[in-house]
Amino acid sequence: PTLSIVSDQAGLWNTSTGIYPNSTSTGPAWERAASLELVRGDGHTEFQENCKIEIHGNASRDNTRTPKHSIRLTFSSDFGAAKLHYDWFGGGVDVADKIVLRSCGFVDGWAGRYADNGTYVSTETGETFRGLRYRPENTCYLRDVWVKNSFRDMGWSASRSQYVHLYLNGLYWGLYEPSEHLD
């Protein structure tokens, strides 16, 4: 499926006011109104809803580490509908306040800038490397999903998710993993 987010251009990309260039900034000044639309592969629109978007995460917000950031979607009557009414992930939960668009790649994807100055020990050879933790050849995209599914299969609470292709204002932004926000 494809997820399209459309928002004010300056609110996303402007060097002074945009949430992407200022990704480490937090608080109400860094929230943006947006239109969200989920489109299936056959072109059918599953839903369109207005919501609030903001950059999500901790170290993954740092532009020197990765150009691809997670985004939190919040549904509130200040921006559109008070809740998203759609069973996005199956399982019968059809009401959501928040969804996290996981960027699929901070430590496990192509987008990392490999700025880590720590050490990396190869599981295959036992060799120790400095500053090579985030490597494109180690991209997997499945580790987190596997852990969450296994955790849930063992009877614990875990968020459900689904992969999508994300477009920000019509610009392809890569593979993302919308996930339930367990709050």
Side-chain angles (χ1 to χ4, degrees), residues 106-133:
F106 174 52
V107 296
D108 223 8
W110 65 268
R113 293 227 170 101
Y114 328 117
D116 183 21
N117 290 322
T119 59
Y120 171 79
V121 178
S122 170
T123 56
E124 294 177 35
T125 67
E127 277 184 280
T128 301
F129 303 93
R130 289 193 57 72
L132 298 175
R133 181 173 172 205

Side-chain angles (χ1 to χ4, degrees), residues 33 54 61 73 77 79 100 108-109 130 132 139 142 145 157 172-173:
E54 58 193 308
R61 300 171 73 101
L73 311 171
S77 57
F79 293 87
V100 175
D108 223 8
R130 289 193 57 72
L132 298 175
T139 298
L142 296 175
V145 174
S157 295
Y172 183 66
W173 211 243

Side-chain angles (χ1 to χ4, degrees), residues 20-157:
Y20 238 87
N22 299 286
S23 59
T24 58
S25 301
T26 61
W30 301 99
E31 301 168 349
R32 301 292 181 261
S35 173
L36 179 71
E37 184 175 6
L38 181 64
V39 181
R40 296 289 172 190
D42 64 2
H44 174 76
T45 296
E46 291 293 320
F47 67 82
Q48 182 284 317
E49 192 56 69
N50 294 334
C51 65
K52 171 179 79 173
I53 62 170
E54 58 193 308
I55 302 297
H56 177 83
N58 292 310
S60 63
R61 300 171 73 101
D62 185 351
N63 284 321
T64 61
R65 290 184 176 200
T66 181
K68 188 177 176 187
H69 305 298
S70 294
I71 300 169
R72 184 170 45 244
L73 311 171
T74 303
F75 300 91
S76 86
S77 57
D78 293 339
F79 293 87
K83 308 248 185 223
L84 175 65
H85 293 275
Y86 180 73
D87 187 7
W88 197 339
F89 310 108
V93 177
D94 61 358
V95 178
D97 308 81
K98 296 177 187 167
I99 302 288
V100 175
L101 301 180
R102 297 186 72 254
S103 65
C104 295
F106 174 52
V107 296
D108 223 8
W110 65 268
R113 293 227 170 101
Y114 328 117
D116 183 21
N117 290 322
T119 59
Y120 171 79
V121 178
S122 170
T123 56
E124 294 177 35
T125 67
E127 277 184 280
T128 301
F129 303 93
R130 289 193 57 72
L132 298 175
R133 181 173 172 205
Y134 310 132
R135 305 289 302 169
E137 63 269 18
N138 294 336
T139 298
C140 182
Y141 294 114
L142 296 175
R143 288 182 183 117
D144 186 67
V145 174
W146 182 86
V147 168
K148 288 190 295 186
N149 289 346
S150 298
F151 207 59
R152 196 173 36 260
D153 289 347
M154 290 186 288
W156 297 92
S157 295

